[in-house]
Amino acid sequence: MRTVRIDLDQRLLADAAAIMGTSSSNATVNEALRRIVVHERQLRQLERLTADRLAALPPREPVVLDG
């Protein structure tokens, strides 16, 4: 793996480690990256499923409001 030097917010890193149960900065960053990738993939899949379902719905009758 390639080494990358970055400045991290130490308080944010500690909070993330506590939430994820990781014990090192490296593990915390890698777990955070893994989780965001999984989250974004799930979100995109949900968006595709929703779009497919909405496209399959019959057209709705227009609503007319009096007044």
Side-chain angles (χ1 to χ4, degrees):
M1 245 186 249
R2 191 177 107 187
T3 300
V4 177
R5 292 191 178 271
I6 56 175
D7 292 324
L8 298 173
D9 179 323
Q10 294 302 305
R11 208 174 287 152
L12 187 57
L13 183 64
D15 289 347
I19 290 168
M20 294 185 288
T22 52
S23 58
S24 71
S25 297
N26 190 56
T28 302
V29 171
N30 282 321
E31 179 63 12
L33 291 171
R34 187 193 69 75
R35 288 185 185 197
I36 194 65
V37 168
V38 167
H39 171 79
E40 289 298 320
R41 285 178 180 163
Q42 289 173 337
L43 182 59
R44 285 184 177 85
Q45 181 62 21
L46 181 60
E47 288 170 345
R48 279 192 294 271
L49 289 171
T50 302
D52 291 346
R53 298 281 176 151
L54 289 175
L57 290 175
R60 294 181 62 189
E61 293 293 323
V63 175
V64 178
L65 301 175
D66 289 334

